[in-house]
Amino acid sequence: PAVTWRVEEVEKAGSFEKRTVRMESGLGDEIIAYLYLPKSGMATGAGIVALHPTHRIGKGVVDGQSERPNRAYGRELAERGHVVIAPDYPSFGGLVEYDFANDVFESGTMRGIWNHMRCVDLLAALPDVEKDRVGVIGHSLGGHNAIFLAVFDSRVKAVVTSCGWTPFHDYYGGEVKGWTSDRYLPAIRDRYDLDPDRIPFDFAELIAAIAPRAFFSSSPLRDSNFDWRGVEKAAPEIRKIYGLYDADRAMRISYPDADHDFPPSVRDEAYRFLESALAP
């Protein structure tokens, strides 16, 4: 369905306007997000969904409101002239009271995918966004949600994931319990007994499904959550699929010497990659 939305608050910054918006989800409730709109004549034509990491303030993280300075990619991309939408993931920010037990989805991950697709709907309806120039970026929780969104929504032409993935066997040595809360994928526990061998998908397959669209991964060498060595093992299999499309240059993995972070140098690389992939 078409997106119906309303503005609750407006903040004017140097080169853009930040609106706090509520949009109808199509499921009887609302999605809360920041919508960044460049000032007249400054829009690049690209629209970007900015997905936040795990943090109680949700979308405020990508706006630079948290204690971690390297997470303000929503505001930074708006400063570069892009239309950006940054939604709260259910159970964070304005959706902190979200009740996973009483929705229609089997997992919080699927609810997130639905919400994020609605964000793409909103971007596609805006006059300053060209419909074939939509990307997604996220760190940690937002990093794997960026992958999930692109798998389900082919309108997303470019993906940036920071500290967002490693194969399940390489996630804490195969201890996948961390994936099983209501906000993620409880079936990994309830249906597949926490056994990576039984989980019916893995990240190499998800990322391969995004091909030949642009994909950038920042996988730091000291990330304790998502082991870069698992990423390195999976990369050749993903590259085979990109190669079938003659799209080798559309996939890039960076291995910064950092912990579970999104440092300025790799953030700048990611922004330039997005902008190249979403160029007219």
Side-chain angles (χ1 to χ4, degrees):
V3 181
T4 301
W5 55 289
R6 68 183 192 276
V7 179
E8 286 196 326
E9 187 178 343
V10 176
E11 172 195 312
K12 294 186 182 296
S15 59
F16 62 86
E17 178 179 281
K18 185 185 82 177
R19 301 179 178 181
T20 302
V21 302
R22 286 180 176 266
M23 58 178 139
E24 293 182 4
S25 69
L27 299 170
D29 58 7
E30 292 182 316
I31 300 163
I32 305 170
Y34 289 145
L35 177 63
Y36 301 83
L37 298 173
K39 289 188 175 177
S40 179
M42 300 182 70
T44 65
I48 298 171
V49 183
L51 303 178
H52 66 78
T54 301
H55 197 292
R56 59 180 176 76
I57 67 171
K59 63 187 179 302
V61 178
V62 304
D63 188 55
Q65 299 174 26
S66 79
E67 71 284 0
R68 296 187 179 274
N70 290 329
R71 310 285 192 272
Y73 41 87
R75 180 172 284 263
E76 289 173 351
L77 285 163
E79 289 169 347
R80 295 169 78 103
H82 310 304
V83 176
V84 178
I85 188 166
D88 282 321
Y89 187 82
S91 73
F92 297 107
L95 299 180
V96 69
E97 302 294 332
Y98 188 80
D99 183 3
F100 293 102
N102 290 309
D103 70 12
V104 299
F105 296 94
E106 286 198 23
S107 70
T109 292
M110 283 306 309
R111 178 62 210 248
I113 291 166
W114 176 276
N115 285 9
H116 303 152
M117 290 178 71
R118 293 298 279 161
C119 290
V120 177
D121 290 340
L122 191 151
L123 287 177
L126 295 174
D128 282 339
V129 176
E130 298 176 25
K131 294 177 178 59
D132 60 347
R133 297 176 61 198
V134 174
V136 63
I137 186 171
H139 172 77
S140 193
L141 167 70
H144 40 262
N145 283 327
I147 295 170
F148 299 151
L149 172 61
V151 170
F152 279 82
D153 197 330
S154 61
R155 295 174 297 176
V156 176
K157 303 303 183 186
V159 179
V160 168
T161 175
S162 166
C163 299
W165 70 286
T166 197
F168 287 121
H169 285 87
D170 298 281
Y171 178 82
Y172 293 104
E175 295 290 336
V176 293
K177 185 178 179 180
W179 281 101
T180 63
S181 73
D182 287 348
R183 67 167 63 114
Y184 302 127
L185 295 160
I188 288 176
R189 176 194 62 231
D190 301 338
R191 196 173 302 159
Y192 303 113
D193 300 320
L194 303 175
D195 183 352
D197 288 330
R198 295 185 59 199
I199 299 172
F201 73 93
D202 213 330
F203 280 93
E205 297 159 313
L206 298 182
I207 297 164
I210 295 170
R213 291 171 287 159
F215 178 81
F216 179 96
S217 178
S218 175
S219 300
L221 299 177
R222 292 181 279 113
D223 184 355
S224 60
N225 294 49
F226 299 100
D227 195 326
W228 72 273
R229 290 165 292 191
V231 172
E232 184 75 351
K233 284 189 291 186
E237 296 304 310
I238 302 167
R239 291 189 192 282
K240 285 180 185 178
I241 306 304
Y242 272 81
L244 293 176
Y245 291 97
D246 293 324
D248 305 77
R249 295 177 65 181
M251 176 187 167
R252 186 186 306 174
I253 302 177
S254 180
Y255 299 100
D257 186 8
D259 57 12
H260 190 74
D261 200 5
F262 201 2
S265 59
V266 74
R267 233 167 41 250
D268 181 66
E269 182 184 3
Y271 297 165
R272 288 185 283 108
F273 180 88
L274 264 182
E275 289 164 348
S276 175
L278 298 178

